[in-house]
Amino acid sequence: MEFYDLAFPFKLGPLTYAAPEGLQLSPGALVLAELKKSVKRAVVLGKAGPVPGRVADLKEIKSAVPEGVVLGESLVRLLKWMSEYYLSPEGLVLKAMFGAGLFEKRKRKAARPKAAKPHQPLPVQEIEKSRLNEFLKPEGFGVHLLHAPSTAYERSFIRGAVSGQTGVIVLVPELSRIPIYEPFLREEFGERLCVLHGRLTGAQRADVYEKILSGGADIVLGTRLAVFAPFKRVSMLAVAEEESEHYKNEEYARYNARDVAIKRASVEGAKVLLTSICPGAESFANALRGKYRLLRPARKPIRVRLINSRKTPMKTPSISEGLHRGIMSALEKGAGAVIIANRLGHSVPVCEDCGHLEKCPSCGMAMVYHRPRRALRCAWCGHSKTAFEACPRCRGHNIKFLGSGLERFEDELKKLLPDTPVRTESAAREDGPSDARLVIGTKRAIPRKGRGEVLAAGVINPEGAFFHPDFRARERVFRELCYLADRLTEGGTLYIQTSEPALLKNLKTLDYESFIKAELAERKILGYPPFSKTGLIMVEGPIKKLELPALENVEILGPAMRLIKKGEKASVLMVKASSSKELKEAFPAILKGIKAEKITVDIDPV
DNA sequence: AGCACGCCGACT
DNA sequence: GTCGGCGTGCTC
């Protein structure tokens, strides 16, 4: 009698089953087996070790499923590695990989032909052959990091790298990037290309898997779950915008698809191309210490104007003359301008008579006035209350509005340029794209490239994000500036208007390498990643017990209240260790000391 | 006492 | 994911 360990796509570790006489199974095979009285699909992880308990109590595998071996040896290895690394049961990893349906084809209503999505053609850039060969030449496993001068270069490089290959996975951070990459891949690979992402229905997803398993498709473009595409052979994986936080799965197993891509490549003997106009600190550090090969094409310096709003003449309370001139000059040349302000709402109302300032009862943060709703809102936790007409303390009407949020900024800009059509973020959400050449909004409003020239891009007080309690805050600000600058047409200028120029000293030239080296030096001193490994423990509901062990080389910070999703708060503990082995080994002891309703573990949080 | 419903832990 | 166990609470 043979025994096998099976994984079911649920929060469940491997379970041991007996195989019926004459059924030979290899790892990765799909089978049917009874679980809790009902028959379910499961994946064979391998032959079982010593069977715990009585062999006679084990249930029998019902049958193998015709799809056969769906996972291949390397994907089974990847599954086991993820389970160990992310401290997540094998079943949950399996569910994260292929969904609870496990390749099952449900009957479905007549398939409607999907309409071809309109797309902008990819502006193709000349990529130096020699640079491309630096990536294409080396055989076998290896990670290459392209620090691209622009997103256009990044995309062209991926195009060149993928061309002529077989067994390729191209990962993009978001659904919205698929229409950018699909046209050129489709052009070259036709039906060999398939698109895979989380918004597909179960049946569509099963169709894609069928095409991949039958060998009909060998190029996949998709979001993070496409890293698990069940190819027999993968020769390369490309990860576009590799630093993106969207690669982090926030449910089931909390994996990072970029890191999983590298692991997958290492078990498959494939090569990896990480690309970004602003690589993440971890990846760049790996390149600096020779773990990754760094590809750095020449870049043109970006013209940046830093405007100190405390020292410069102001056109309105929140718009400096310099910024105003920049916008005007872009518009006069027939080009567009994009202005980003990340603070939502209008401003912070303060009573000039008694100095009263409304604070959030739970966070203590100043409440921000939101005019359309006539409400005061806490930017941190979302608590809101009706705005006051008179000062609640002294009844005075002498209210001063401090600071400039997006709403105020929109108002002032419209007043300054009464004849220019402006697309504001609030309007854009309702009306969709407009052809206004002046765009104002948070970073979400940054328009796609290719819709006319942009000669001025401005950002107001980007240092606001520094006050987030997060060691990555500065990196995020820098990245945002890089992506904003990327929208500029050649010859354009990036305007940074700030009231705290001292905080932006290292950022103002947008010199990535100097910035990231300084950042890495600081993280080294403070012991943050990549010089340590971190994991979060998120505790929802009241903590019933908290007894943290003292461990060598492991530091436990917190608990601190944190907003984990909109409106959902949790107590968060951060565990820091000097290596991922130490981190992994510390967790069981730490988790034993915590009792609460719901506890979630997140290794390598972003 | 008798049963409906909901939460929680276990599932080989 | 889903079954059964058990606790709460309402009803005959």
Side-chain angles (χ1 to χ4, degrees):
Chain A
M1 190 91 96
E2 304 261 40
F3 301 99
Y4 293 97
D5 281 336
L6 303 187
F8 291 85
F10 317 122
K11 187 175 179 179
L12 196 59
L15 300 174
T16 307
Y17 283 74
E21 224 34 67
L23 185 64
Q24 280 298 317
L25 292 167
S26 49
L30 255 194
V31 295
L32 292 175
E34 200 176 84
L35 180 72
K36 279 264 176 197
K37 311 256 125 101
S38 53
V39 176
K40 291 258 144 62
R41 288 181 157 221
V43 165
V44 175
L45 292 182
K47 286 247 170 75
V51 180
R54 295 204 358 255
V55 167
D57 292 343
L58 295 179
K59 289 183 182 165
E60 257 195 4
I61 291 168
K62 291 268 184 261
S63 64
V65 175
E67 277 93 326
V69 179
V70 286
L71 256 68
E73 198 200 335
S74 46
L75 272 178
V76 174
R77 275 175 70 189
L78 189 69
L79 189 157
K80 289 179 178 168
W81 174 82
M82 284 177 69
S83 167
E84 231 183 81
Y85 186 87
Y86 292 109
L87 301 170
S88 192
E90 284 80 351
L92 268 195
V93 175
L94 183 64
K95 185 180 174 183
M97 287 175 138
F98 303 108
L102 277 194
F103 308 93
E104 184 151 36
K105 296 198 83 177
R106 299 268 159 108
K107 59 226 164 270
R108 102 202 91 140
K109 300 141 228 151
R112 55 193 153 81
K114 52 183 173 198
K117 278 168 271 173
H119 58 259
Q120 306 118 355
L122 176 79
V124 180
Q125 281 219 312
E126 273 313 306
I127 304 295
E128 314 93 299
K129 264 265 148 38
S130 60
R131 188 85 50 199
L132 204 51
N133 280 335
E134 275 183 61
F135 169 73
L136 292 172
K137 272 277 166 61
E139 300 276 335
F141 172 67
V143 184
H144 304 252
L145 176 64
L146 171 72
H147 178 206
S150 64
T151 54
Y153 189 101
E154 177 181 16
R155 289 156 193 176
S156 299
F157 195 93
I158 291 178
R159 176 183 196 154
V162 169
S163 177
Q165 307 282 325
T166 60
V168 178
I169 297 174
V170 178
L171 297 181
V172 291
E174 297 180 65
L175 201 57
S176 67
R177 303 296 191 280
I178 288 180
I180 300 175
Y181 284 80
E182 187 175 351
F184 71 79
L185 291 171
R186 183 72 66 198
E187 187 186 13
E188 170 155 2
F189 297 107
E191 285 306 297
R192 283 170 60 199
L193 170 73
C194 55
V195 171
L196 185 53
H197 55 78
R199 290 287 185 84
L200 298 179
T201 64
Q204 290 170 326
R205 207 167 148 181
D207 277 346
V208 173
Y209 287 140
E210 190 186 23
K211 247 183 116 179
I212 292 174
L213 290 170
S214 69
D218 69 331
I219 312 287
V220 69
L221 164 68
T223 54
R224 57 183 176 248
L225 59 85
V227 73
F228 306 116
F231 290 139
K232 286 203 182 68
R233 213 188 94 70
V234 176
S235 66
M236 100 173 237
L237 297 104
V239 184
E241 295 171 50
E242 65 89 24
E243 84 297 349
S244 172
E245 294 171 6
H246 289 109
Y247 284 120
K248 187 81 208 248
N249 195 34
E250 299 285 0
E251 49 173 21
Y252 313 144
R254 301 184 148 246
Y255 65 89
N256 183 317
R258 177 205 45 202
D259 301 337
V260 171
I262 293 168
K263 186 69 195 178
R264 180 158 191 196
S266 86
V267 298
E268 307 248 11
K271 58 174 86 175
V272 184
L273 175 61
L274 306 180
T275 64
S276 178
I277 60 166
C278 183
E282 281 85 348
S283 297
F284 199 75
N286 279 329
L288 286 180
R289 64 197 182 92
K291 214 177 149 193
Y292 300 169
R293 281 192 203 91
L294 185 59
L295 305 166
R296 43 182 153 191
R299 55 194 56 244
K300 292 199 185 96
I302 294 155
R303 185 151 50 176
V304 185
R305 290 276 299 280
L306 187 72
I307 299 167
N308 180 349
S309 59
R310 286 187 200 277
K311 288 221 174 122
T312 195
M314 299 296 281
K315 196 86 184 171
T316 69
S318 54
I319 301 169
S320 62
E321 285 186 0
L323 179 58
H324 179 240
R325 267 200 307 277
I327 296 169
M328 293 298 287
S329 121
L331 294 176
E332 277 159 16
K333 286 177 191 147
V338 183
I339 313 298
I340 301 301
N342 284 320
R343 267 202 250 170
L344 296 176
H346 186 273
S347 56
V348 175
V350 181
C351 175
E352 277 216 281
D353 297 335
C354 72
H356 176 77
L357 174 127
E358 200 79 358
K359 285 183 181 160
C360 172
S362 61
C363 311
M365 297 274 288
M367 302 277 281
V368 178
Y369 176 47
H370 286 245
R371 209 174 40 188
R373 298 168 166 189
R374 310 195 69 255
L376 292 173
R377 218 176 112 89
C378 169
W380 190 237
C381 76
H383 176 84
S384 95
K385 56 160 81 175
T386 4
F388 45 78
E389 296 280 330
C391 170
R393 195 201 284 168
C394 73
R395 305 267 123 225
H397 280 78
N398 211 355
I399 309 289
K400 192 179 170 188
F401 295 91
L402 282 186
S404 8
L406 186 56
E407 275 174 29
R408 180 179 206 171
F409 193 69
E410 288 177 1
D411 283 357
E412 292 180 5
L413 206 57
K414 278 182 188 162
K415 248 179 247 162
L416 277 181
L417 304 158
D419 302 323
T420 310
V422 180
R423 193 184 80 171
T424 60
E425 183 155 281
S426 42
R429 263 186 224 142
E430 281 133 43
D431 313 339
S434 77
D435 48 6
R437 282 191 284 126
L438 179 53
V439 179
I440 314 171
T442 62
K443 59 172 172 279
R444 300 179 10 170
I446 301 177
R448 288 269 180 81
K449 205 152 185 169
R451 272 209 234 130
E453 300 208 306
V454 176
L455 285 175
V459 58
I460 312 295
N461 290 334
E463 74 286 354
F466 285 177
F467 303 107
H468 286 252
D470 180 350
F471 67 89
R472 274 184 247 267
R474 292 160 53 86
E475 190 187 344
R476 285 212 184 89
V477 171
F478 190 87
R479 185 186 313 155
E480 197 186 308
L481 295 176
C482 288
Y483 277 92
L484 185 58
D486 182 65
R487 300 293 136 146
L488 287 169
T489 336
E490 196 165 341
T493 306
L494 177 69
Y495 295 86
I496 305 174
Q497 183 186 297
T498 174
S499 50
E500 301 296 336
L503 292 175
L504 298 174
K505 241 187 271 164
N506 298 326
L507 280 64
K508 67 178 177 196
T509 58
L510 282 196
D511 174 355
Y512 173 82
E513 292 204 15
S514 321
F515 167 77
I516 210 78
K517 282 173 182 164
E519 193 67 15
L520 286 170
E522 196 166 301
R523 287 197 201 174
K524 187 168 191 171
I525 293 165
L526 297 172
Y528 278 116
F531 304 99
S532 65
K533 280 282 184 174
T534 61
L536 294 185
I537 300 173
M538 289 170 282
V539 184
E540 285 170 71
I543 301 179
K544 290 177 201 141
K545 182 180 124 186
L546 188 66
E547 290 161 18
L548 298 176
L551 298 164
E552 240 177 271
N553 294 328
V554 176
E555 197 182 341
I556 306 172
L557 307 168
M561 276 310 244
R562 207 200 267 198
L563 196 69
I564 50 168
K565 265 181 263 165
K566 209 165 91 184
E568 278 181 58
K569 279 184 224 171
S571 305
V572 178
L573 291 153
M574 182 187 268
V575 185
K576 281 205 300 191
S578 36
S579 71
S580 77
K581 188 166 171 277
E582 280 169 317
L583 184 70
K584 190 172 69 190
E585 287 167 0
F587 263 84
I590 298 169
L591 291 173
K592 235 184 6 206
I594 309 171
K595 282 261 148 41
E597 311 260 314
K598 195 183 168 205
I599 300 173
T600 313
V601 171
D602 187 349
I603 303 295
D604 300 340
V606 290

